[in-house]
Amino acid sequence: MTVSSPAPALRPHAEQSFAEELAALERADSRPRPPGWRLSPWAVTQYILGTTLQDGTEIAPKYIGARRVVEVAVATLATDRALLLLGVPGTAKTRLSEHLAAAVAGDSTLLVQGTAGTAEEAIRYGWNYARLLAEGPSQAALVPSPVMTAMAEGRPARVEELTRIPSDVQDALITVLSEKTLPVPELGTEVQAARGFNVIATANDRDRGVNDLSSALRRRFNTVVLPVPATVADELDIVTRRVADLGRSLELPEVPTSLAEIRRVVTVFRELREGATADGTAKVKSPSGTLSTAEAISVVTGGIALAAHFGDGTLRPADVAAGIHSAVVRDPVSDGVVWQEYLETVAREREGWEDFYRACREVSG
Ligand SMILES: Nc1ncnc2c1ncn2[C@@H]1O[C@H](COP(=O)(O)OP(=O)(O)OP(=O)(O)O)[C@@H](O)[C@H]1O
Ligand SMILES: [Mg+2]
């Protein structure tokens, strides 16, 4: 159901934001399309990784990383195996899943959000109880899950955070994925998956062991691991582009972002994450948080908002210091010590980091 509102959506779906790109790709795409797909696997990959089409349309990159990773993910969706995107937090699993669904089917909204409280109805179907009581079980009283709708319409369904879902509920997916059918015993019917149906799931590496996938379910997925950016340059590229995109979509006032400031945020995050300085000469303690690329993007975007509204219109160390502090210091005691040590032994000594060191000292008091 869509409740219409006079204001533009804060966060439109991928297929809305990139409708023009998708339409241009559809026109340009002469390769064979798997049943039910709007684009060929080749065009889906171009949509995800970005390119310039012959007619001049710019396709912006949605996922920045190895082409092969994306190709394997897209190819999987064209087979009878489901796709599991696995990785540590902030490696763009959710983002890639949304854009894959948008490109394959023009619809990324058939979504099950996995939590400890996710019940079987979210994967199978539920009932409209008023109707059920009044009329008994009927097609009209049945409330299909996103998975059931995806099967009926031959589209991909998305399951977020699969391993947070209790194991017995996860098992409901086994029949769906192996038999490609969802029985409705109450009505003596079943929903058979139309061609084009598949499942794109995401799971967090750190959650492993929470509700591990059963081997029966795991076999039905092809797992694609999304890596953390390999080098500072890769990560800097991701952060710079995403910050620019976000600034545009949030309509933040233009702030000349100094690349040096963004590089510093990325460097601090990487050094703390990896437990060593970038030049490899000194060990550093790691804090409890993940300090993902996604968090680096938030710190810089938050800094830009501060600079635009309260600063002198340029991103300065003081604008990112508070954001870095709150990302790093999750636990005031143990992380606080780690951060102090980093500031005193690494940041303080580094050439050109004097202002940054001072700004961070002020925040951490
Ligand atoms: N390789 C990348 N390419 C493009 N954007 C990226 C990349 N890595 C991280 N990002 C950015 O990080 C943001 C967060 O990613 P996303 O929420 O998809 O991560 P996730 O892996 O699902 O994390 P979580 O495990 O916390 O759910 C994305 O919206 C994107 O801006
Ligand atoms: Mg996610």
Side-chain angles (χ1 to χ4, degrees):
M1 183 182 66
T2 311
V3 180
S4 58
S5 131
L10 180 57
R11 187 184 173 289
H13 300 300
E15 59 274 20
Q16 298 170 326
S17 302
F18 295 96
E20 279 168 32
E21 289 190 8
L22 289 167
L25 274 163
E26 216 172 330
R27 284 194 301 275
D29 186 14
S30 55
R31 308 197 181 204
R33 302 173 191 188
W37 286 37
R38 278 183 43 169
L39 298 174
S40 67
W42 175 83
V44 171
T45 308
Q46 299 297 87
Y47 169 77
I48 301 287
L49 292 169
T51 183
T52 307
L53 297 180
Q54 267 184 352
D55 69 3
T57 310
E58 283 289 333
I59 308 293
K62 320 298 179 304
Y63 175 75
I64 300 158
R67 171 167 290 269
R68 199 66 200 168
V69 169
V70 177
E71 287 173 348
V72 173
V74 174
T76 299
L77 289 176
T79 69
D80 63 344
R81 291 183 92 197
L83 173 64
L84 175 61
L85 300 173
L86 191 70
V88 296
T91 41
K93 302 178 292 295
T94 301
R95 182 173 168 82
L96 182 57
S97 148
E98 178 183 2
H99 283 288
L100 282 172
V104 166
D107 180 3
S108 62
T109 63
L110 296 171
L111 172 68
V112 178
Q113 182 63 51
T115 68
T118 302
E120 251 189 44
E121 289 86 66
I123 291 175
R124 289 154 57 86
Y125 52 88
W127 297 100
N128 174 333
Y129 286 105
R131 274 207 128 127
L132 186 66
L133 289 176
E135 304 163 12
S138 69
Q139 198 66 46
L142 186 133
V143 181
S145 70
V147 176
M148 187 183 244
T149 306
M151 293 174 80
E153 295 179 357
R155 297 160 185 268
R158 297 169 53 205
V159 181
E160 278 287 308
E161 307 289 359
L162 179 60
T163 45
R164 294 204 186 150
I165 300 179
S167 313
D168 53 323
V169 179
Q170 284 182 19
D171 285 349
L173 269 178
I174 296 181
T175 335
V176 167
L177 292 178
S178 55
E179 310 295 326
K180 307 283 194 264
T181 175
L182 193 50
V184 187
E186 293 90 338
L187 301 180
T189 60
E190 61 175 10
V191 174
Q192 272 187 306
R195 301 182 74 177
F197 167 72
N198 210 330
V199 170
I200 308 172
T202 67
N204 203 311
D205 256 356
R206 295 268 167 116
D207 281 352
R208 205 173 270 168
V210 173
N211 289 302
D212 245 341
L213 293 190
S214 68
S215 57
L217 189 54
R218 186 171 273 267
R219 264 205 321 276
R220 273 138 189 121
F221 280 102
N222 198 12
T223 304
V224 171
V225 176
L226 298 189
V228 285
T231 63
V232 180
D234 288 353
E235 192 159 1
L236 199 57
D237 185 32
I238 298 172
V239 175
T240 319
R241 289 191 208 219
R242 290 295 299 143
V243 165
D245 290 350
L246 276 171
R248 235 173 287 124
S249 72
L250 295 171
E251 295 184 34
L252 288 177
E254 286 280 339
V255 166
T257 44
S258 92
L259 192 62
E261 210 54 62
I262 302 184
R263 176 185 291 274
R264 181 149 48 207
V265 174
V266 169
T267 306
V268 170
F269 272 40
R270 288 184 74 87
E271 290 184 331
L272 288 170
R273 204 191 292 151
E274 285 163 15
T277 51
D279 56 10
T281 55
K283 280 203 155 58
V284 168
K285 289 202 187 98
S286 292
S288 59
T290 43
L291 299 181
S292 67
T293 312
E295 283 160 291
I297 294 169
S298 306
V299 168
V300 175
T301 307
I304 289 177
L306 275 175
H309 297 298
F310 304 109
D312 63 1
T314 307
L315 189 63
R316 306 261 180 218
D319 300 316
V320 293
I324 291 195
H325 183 266
S326 74
V328 174
V329 183
R330 290 284 156 84
D331 176 314
V333 181
S334 60
D335 294 336
V337 173
V338 169
W339 182 228
Q340 285 302 335
E341 205 173 300
Y342 181 84
L343 283 179
E344 297 306 325
T345 59
V346 180
R348 186 182 185 165
E349 312 295 331
R350 209 167 259 171
E351 220 187 302
W353 282 40
E354 298 82 7
D355 289 352
F356 176 72
Y357 168 74
R358 230 172 294 121
C360 290
R361 281 297 305 262
E362 259 170 48
V363 177
S364 48

